[in-house]
Amino acid sequence: MHGLAQGTAFVLAFAIIAIGTQYIAVPRTATRSFGLPLPEDGTNIAWWLRLKGVRDIVAGLVVLAFAAWGVSKDVGLVLLVEAIIPTGDMLVILGAKGSSKSAFGIHGVTALLMVLASLPLLTGGH
């Protein structure tokens, strides 16, 4: 179970880095799957969306850094704390009456996977 949790942590970290990279490279395209309508048009919208990309990349790198230089319990703690991000995304989308399919199917599932991966790492890490 411990190896599966570590593998899940790596997959989640690389996935959020890939999503962040997409937000930097093609921000308007990346936004379409988020669950909220595209923001109003304006010259600075793409730059605001790129900020999300930078934060996503850093969130993934934090997991990878702890996996490389920390102990399993540290990785578990980081995953558990970072699960607040997709949980918050889900709640914001639901509060804005955005796509419940994206809210639960993307953000909710991501948060759940993060929590489930964190538990064996927190309880059985070495």
Side-chain angles (χ1 to χ4, degrees), residues 48-71:
W48 282 102
L49 294 173
R50 286 182 178 105
L51 290 174
K52 179 190 177 332
V54 171
R55 285 158 177 75
D56 285 352
I57 291 169
V58 171
L61 290 174
V62 167
V63 174
L64 294 178
F66 273 84
W69 290 288
V71 295

Side-chain angles (χ1 to χ4, degrees), residues 59-124:
L61 290 174
V62 167
V63 174
L64 294 178
F66 273 84
W69 290 288
V71 295
S72 295
K73 287 184 180 185
D74 296 340
V75 178
L77 182 59
V78 168
L79 280 177
L80 189 60
V81 170
E82 285 193 3
I84 296 168
I85 297 168
T87 301
D89 291 346
M90 179 184 71
L91 294 173
V92 167
I93 292 167
L94 292 173
K97 301 198 183 334
S99 168
S100 58
K101 182 178 175 182
S102 292
F104 292 116
I106 296 171
H107 308 288
V109 168
T110 299
L112 179 62
L113 286 173
M114 291 174 82
V115 169
L116 291 176
S118 74
L119 296 177
L121 297 171
L122 285 168
T123 59

